[in-house]
Amino acid sequence: MLSLRSAFRAFSRAPLLSLLSVTTIAFSLFAFGLFGLVALNIRNALRTVEERVEIRAFLADKTPVEQIAAASDDIAKFPEVEHVDVVTQEQALARAKRELGEFKDVFESEFLPASLDVKLKPGFRDPNTVRRIADRLRALEFVDDVRYGDEWITQLYRLRNIAGVAGGVLGLAFAAVAIIIIGATIRMAVLARAKEIAIMRLVGATDWFIRRPFLIEGSIKGIVGGTLALILSYVAMRALQQYLHLETAFFDQRMAMLGVASGALMGLGGSAVSVGRHLRKV
Amino acid sequence: MIRFDRVTKIYPRSGGSAALRDVTLHIAKGEFAFLTGPSGAGKSTILKLLYMEERPTSGEVRISGYNSADISPRDISKLRRRLGIVFQDFRLLEDRTAEGNVAFALEVTGVPRPLIPGKVARALTAVGLASKATAYPRELSGGEQQRVAFARALVNDPFVLIADEPTGNLDERATRGIFQLLRDINASGTAVLMATHNLDLVRSSDYRCIEMNHGEVVYDSADAKRKAG
């Protein structure tokens, strides 16, 4: 109770310093949050593209319908496969006309082959799995050819990996900067109360007792800063949507809470380091 | 009660020169002793070793059952709750009243809240400041501020009062007042160890005097008396 009161008294006693530290925490977490939003949206965009990964097995002419149906059922049972569409020659023609509207006069007869369009489950859309399934389809006697956009799947995955690594590295860098800033602001708070700490030690307060209000203060600053950062990120995202007409996603509830919690954790960590260093020195 | 056994202290960045050299001392329960000598003689180092702010480089300090060789941080806190420590610069919190400053020592050592006001009032009365309990340090004279510091030191009923130049910042009149207060404290059974430059004060009483120079005890009136006797 005393620690909590003491932590709150620290806010009222040095409002400017507290405001400064909360703002600094808010802005460093805001930078972190903006980066998180960019990463989130890139990931969402990539997922949409990834959903279009499809293996198309073109069937030989005159393959009996029963055989196609049986094969389709078999393939649908592969653990990696989400579903299989059977596309007849007529459907293939209709699709070609739809997709390539201006050339629709060219398509007259049923010269397009029928196909099995295989869609893979999420998590199995990487180049290796796609290639493996494609090879299995190619081995079927009535399959003429298999297409799956080998090149672009590889490119897509390379892009995703780069985005992942860059996201991780930059995210860590931002988090480190945030922790250092929080540590520095708490250090100022510690120095502002150096005399009080010295007296506490002199009259026999334990180190843990001295530490506690600073840890609480740091966590509160982290939570307030984290919430502010969340609000700022939301405002920034809305502004982007409004002026750039971009369809963007925001953090869901779980991620938002995780963000505020990590703010609190940074506050706690920064305080622990600052107070610990001070107590070791005096 | 307090025993220094061949204590040498060399501070890490002192270039190897000793602040204390092979000091052996014994201070009995309820005793009053002055610690005198020029600046840098080692007076403050003796006091810091007593409240375990510093540890000896060699030798050992024993105080009330604690030993500098193996005392834990937790025990250091416990020890300090039973010591009263006062400095030349008072070390009061400016944003707390006189009673707030005294209460602080109890609050941060976990004394139950209901017991605090009574203890604080008694300590302030003992130092003659009951009427200024609600004054802030800036509203008090130097002598009064030092009395608040004494009240804070006494509020936990220490068995020894350690005073490092407590009259160094005070005029003659306030010095006399503080010295009388120290006598009263000692008369009630608390041992007093006082470091001072003020030789008039030392000469005006027949308390034990330990004189230091270059980190060594060069004169101890207790030894002199023993030899004479």
Side-chain angles (χ1 to χ4, degrees), chain A residues 2 5 9 13 195-196 198-209 282, chain B residues 51 77 80-81 85 87 91-96 104-105 107-109 113 152:
Chain A
L2 185 71
R5 248 206 321 272
R9 203 168 42 223
R13 217 162 23 184
K195 192 175 173 187
E196 201 177 318
I199 295 170
M200 283 173 144
R201 300 195 94 182
L202 213 58
V203 299
T206 57
D207 275 1
W208 167 238
F209 183 90
V282 294
Chain B
Y51 58 86
S77 299
R80 289 183 186 173
R81 288 173 200 195
I85 311 170
F87 297 94
R91 304 202 184 171
L92 299 177
L93 295 171
E94 299 300 321
D95 59 346
R96 280 173 173 256
F104 186 71
E107 288 168 7
V108 302
T109 49
R113 294 216 135 242
R152 183 179 63 198

Side-chain angles (χ1 to χ4, degrees), chain A residues 24-37:
Chain A
T24 331
I25 294 169
F27 273 99
S28 47
L29 283 175
F30 174 48
F32 186 54
L34 276 189
F35 187 79
L37 271 185

